[in-house]
Amino acid sequence: MKGEVMAENALVLHVLGARPNFVKAAPVVSALAELGVRQGIVHTGQHYDALMSDVFFADLGLPEPIANLGVGSGTHARQTAALLTGLEDVMTEHSPSLVVVYGDVNSTLAAILVCAKLHVPTAHVEAGLRSFDRDMPEEVNRVVTDALADLLFATSPEALSHLANEGVDPARVHLVGNPMIDSLFSALPKLDPAPIQERLGLSGRYAVATLHRPANVDDPESARELVNAVAEVAEQVPLIVPLHPRGRGRLAEAGLVDGPNMKIIDPLGYVDFLSLVRGAALVVTDSGGVQEETTMLGVPCLTIRPNTERPITVTHGTNRLVTPASLPAAAGKSLADGATTPSGELPPLWDGAAGPRIARVIAAWLRGDNLSPAAKGKVG
Ligand code: UD1
Ligand code: UDP
């Protein structure tokens, strides 16, 4: 009985800031609502353009945030500093029982640090992914977040060994599947390529590219190399580029402009984007989430990165890593061969039920069940 009372009074806060956070959180928020858990969303404002934020709340049916911190953009230190002070105020005001953070963005890092210092328990969704490349800001965020989280939700099996190697208590770790794929499954009935193809004047085969990794778009020389490679893809197939705001200036300077076979457009809303991807012959990307979504949609994906924290999309999916130099030939081969998956099996537990699995673990945790001794000390 005591446990039930504790769960009833509990408040779960989700800290969200950037585009992929919204997609990962929606199934967890909805599954916790089904269980009657009191919860709220704190939007940090890391992403703020309507096409990077509002459209996701609408497309994914996310409830209005209880707070928007409006931190905006800046250097890593300035943005993280604004996140830390804003989140400290929110946590102090609301005294949540548990804070859930998602993925690997600066909002995730800041929330886990604030909560650790305030002794607020935390859960990390998408724990244990590693690129082993600390030049990526996301890898730093992942390592710190997993070191401090009380509950860790892993999306794929290799995450378990990465966490064990870093000394994380296995009792805190739950392999639950991938909530980003839950969102994809929920959206599937709405993913019709025809309307967006018509809007973009597409008839016949086409490819889609997304580019935003700092290593690709921030440095003028890398940006030029990338743009030249992408232009060679556009010589083979009409290419649509819904461009993340980060790459806008630098890639345009490097020559990424509209041409007879290439269209640069604003970022698309979630349903429009995945509808376009669903009908594509090929995707070229440096996104994390898009590697996963193309695997599930069976669309060939070429990822312009030297490594991936999502190797399961290569072993169990349609993803291949390429360099700018190897991209044009790899695109030609993909367009000729179509999607191929080495194992013939999709990643385990990417079945649309990750959100309910996470919600059940959280609800049990709020009741005080199944807790590791360390986490138990923090509850109540
Ligand atoms: C962030 C994440 C990255 C994630 C990506 C998802 C970090 C360190 N990086 O990168 O892991 O893959 O989000 O999209 O957290 N901007 C706008 N409007 C917006 C948001 C950003 O114009 O609504 C522009 C600003 O010029 C800003 C730049 O994009 O300086 C970068 O934004 P920021 O949130 O710092 O990093 P992302 O590159 O978006
Ligand atoms: N996405 C979108 N519109 C776009 C590009 C991407 O809705 O124009 C979605 C995509 O389907 C995925 C998420 O945004 O769900 C991935 O975000 P992003 O690539 O920005 O971040 P990453 O996954 O690399 O952290």
Side-chain angles (χ1 to χ4, degrees):
M1 282 313 274
K2 190 167 171 259
E4 282 166 30
V5 172
M6 194 193 292
E8 243 173 57
N9 292 337
L11 171 67
V12 174
L13 290 185
H14 307 262
V15 175
L16 312 182
R19 175 164 78 178
N21 292 163
F22 311 131
V23 184
K24 291 163 196 172
V28 180
V29 171
S30 137
L32 283 172
E34 289 268 314
L35 297 182
V37 173
R38 197 159 65 95
Q39 57 181 334
I41 290 174
V42 176
H43 192 325
T44 65
Q46 179 175 344
H47 285 177
Y48 43 85
D49 290 348
L51 289 173
M52 298 296 288
S53 174
D54 301 8
V55 68
F56 290 87
F57 280 76
D59 280 4
L60 296 158
L62 277 166
E64 280 286 303
I66 59 164
N68 188 323
L69 308 181
V71 299
S73 308
T75 62
H76 281 279
R78 285 183 192 287
Q79 186 180 59
T80 306
L83 285 159
L84 290 171
T85 50
L87 285 165
E88 186 177 63
D89 289 348
V90 169
M91 298 310 161
T92 306
E93 182 188 344
H94 292 278
S95 299
S97 321
L98 181 74
V99 169
V100 189
V101 300
Y102 297 83
D104 53 19
V105 304
N106 282 350
S107 298
T108 311
L109 170 79
I112 212 89
L113 278 176
V114 163
C115 291
K117 299 291 178 78
L118 291 176
H119 304 150
V120 172
T122 48
H124 181 209
V125 174
E126 204 183 83
L129 295 189
R130 294 290 180 271
S131 65
F132 300 102
D133 175 0
R134 295 229 177 148
D135 286 345
M136 289 183 78
E138 294 83 0
E139 184 74 354
V140 176
N141 294 348
R142 290 180 199 119
V143 170
V144 175
T145 302
D146 287 336
L148 296 177
D150 295 290
L151 285 173
L152 296 97
F153 294 112
T155 54
S156 65
E158 75 276 9
L160 304 183
S161 51
H162 297 156
L163 292 169
N165 291 341
E166 289 172 21
V168 175
D169 175 1
R172 296 179 176 203
V173 182
H174 302 264
L175 179 63
V176 290
N178 191 338
M180 195 166 224
I181 300 308
D182 290 19
S183 285
L184 173 65
F185 281 10
S186 300
L188 265 184
K190 288 183 258 174
L191 301 186
D192 177 5
I196 181 83
Q197 288 170 352
E198 195 183 324
R199 253 166 55 205
L200 294 169
L202 292 164
S203 57
R205 230 154 64 126
Y206 63 91
V208 177
T210 79
L211 307 163
H212 74 277
R213 286 283 149 230
N216 280 336
V217 307
D218 283 5
D219 167 61
E221 189 49 44
S222 309
R224 223 181 339 269
E225 212 188 333
L226 179 71
V227 168
N228 291 340
V230 166
E232 284 192 54
V233 176
E235 284 168 14
Q236 304 175 53
V237 64
L239 184 64
I240 307 295
V241 189
L243 199 53
H244 189 289
R246 180 180 200 101
R248 244 175 237 155
R250 189 69 78 202
L251 292 175
E253 280 166 29
L256 191 77
V257 289
D258 279 348
N261 232 16
M262 175 138 72
K263 221 179 204 123
I264 317 299
I265 60 173
D266 281 339
L268 289 169
Y270 181 68
V271 169
D272 280 346
F273 179 73
L274 286 179
S275 298
L276 187 68
V277 166
R278 192 179 195 181
L282 173 67
V283 167
V284 174
T285 195
D286 56 13
S287 158
V290 174
Q291 296 173 56
E292 298 179 343
E293 292 162 339
T294 45
T295 273
M296 298 311 285
L297 290 170
V299 174
C301 179
L302 298 175
T303 298
I304 315 173
R305 283 181 43 188
N307 50 55
T308 177
E309 63 291 328
R310 294 164 163 87
I312 203 155
T313 59
V314 177
T315 55
H316 291 60
T318 59
N319 190 25
R320 305 286 172 274
L321 299 186
V322 294
T323 61
S326 69
L327 172 65
K333 185 163 167 34
S334 274
L335 289 167
D337 295 351
T340 51
T341 56
S343 74
E345 280 170 39
L346 288 169
L349 297 179
W350 288 19
D351 58 0
R357 284 189 199 102
I358 292 168
R360 282 196 295 276
V361 174
I362 289 178
W365 188 90
L366 292 170
R367 285 194 307 267
D369 301 347
N370 302 322
L371 299 182
S372 67
K376 245 181 191 151
K378 285 193 171 185
V379 184

